[in-house]
Amino acid sequence: MTNETQNELVFLPLGGSNEVGMNLNAYGFGPEHDRKWIIVDVGVTFGDQSTPGVDVIVPDPSFLEGENILGIVLTHAHEDHIGALGWLFDRIKAPLYATPFTAFLIREKLRDHNLAEDVELNEIALGGTVNLDPFEVTYVTITHSIAEPNGLAIKTPLGTVLHTGDWKIDDEPVVGDKTDVAAITKLG
Ligand SMILES: [Zn+2]
């Protein structure tokens, strides 16, 4: 049973959950009418035969517009995770957090959209932690098909969420480090 002043931890999948591409997920903390949010990834998906004339599709962030967004945390540099930042940033303004390789590519993207001056882009070391009270977000190294793929351990007063991002278990990755099994085990 909940009441209007009770803190809750909620997950809001606006894109990319149960579908490929266009990742935009958010976590909210607080009572129903006074939540603080973090956004994880802001990606695109690409048009195909079913969407004639449409090259790129972005998620719909309407639900989050005007909300208290503490930060936008990017897991890795694939277009389906960062590709919509240029188009959607004005609607979900908040500081960005990414590891160095991802941040480099985001910077280029923001420049293309003339946003480089307006956006606070914070570089976080691999394995680093971002404090977005009441969220504490720690980057967890995983393996995938690009440099610096990360999962996120999202700690809150109501529990910890492991947001995996895109991953596979690969003990001999072509780029980057092996999945940080010790960190994940410790979370468990
Ligand atoms: Zn990916």
Side-chain angles (χ1 to χ4, degrees):
M1 205 167 115
T2 62
N3 64 50
E4 292 200 345
T5 57
Q6 193 174 329
N7 282 338
E8 295 173 300
L9 172 63
V10 296
F11 174 62
L12 175 68
L14 293 181
S17 290
N18 210 22
E19 65 185 340
V20 174
M22 210 168 76
N23 291 282
L24 198 167
N25 294 293
Y27 293 89
F29 189 92
E32 189 179 345
H33 299 293
D34 187 23
R35 293 216 216 278
K36 293 173 175 169
W37 295 93
I38 57 169
I39 294 176
V40 177
D41 291 334
V42 182
V44 295
T45 198
F46 295 100
D48 58 21
Q49 298 91 322
S50 66
T51 57
V54 176
D55 294 327
V56 164
I57 303 168
V58 302
D60 178 2
S62 305
F63 187 94
L64 290 167
E65 278 180 281
E67 292 290 322
N68 184 1
I69 303 169
L70 305 174
I72 301 171
V73 186
L74 294 314
T75 59
H76 67 288
H78 276 150
E79 282 295 302
D80 57 331
H81 292 258
I82 65 169
L85 273 172
W87 284 294
L88 297 185
F89 183 80
D90 279 339
R91 297 173 64 186
I92 49 173
K93 283 194 173 98
L96 309 185
Y97 299 87
T99 54
F101 175 74
T102 307
F104 176 83
L105 294 179
I106 290 172
R107 213 167 278 124
E108 297 301 308
K109 205 166 281 301
L110 295 175
R111 218 169 272 146
D112 289 345
H113 288 260
N114 289 321
L115 284 168
E117 308 289 303
D118 308 334
V119 179
E120 179 190 330
L121 172 56
N122 301 283
E123 266 184 40
I124 307 301
L126 291 174
T129 295
V130 182
N131 198 350
L132 297 168
D133 188 40
F135 301 94
E136 186 188 277
V137 183
T138 300
Y139 277 84
V140 180
T141 296
I142 53 172
T143 43
H144 181 35
S145 55
I146 191 170
E148 295 184 7
N150 297 286
L152 302 172
I154 303 171
K155 286 197 185 126
T156 79
L158 288 177
T160 299
V161 176
L162 177 62
H163 184 106
T164 56
D166 288 353
W167 63 280
K168 58 183 176 171
I169 298 292
D170 181 354
D171 282 337
E172 293 174 346
V174 178
V175 288
D177 296 328
K178 286 196 275 185
T179 298
D180 191 347
V181 176
I184 295 171
T185 305
K186 202 170 146 212
L187 282 169

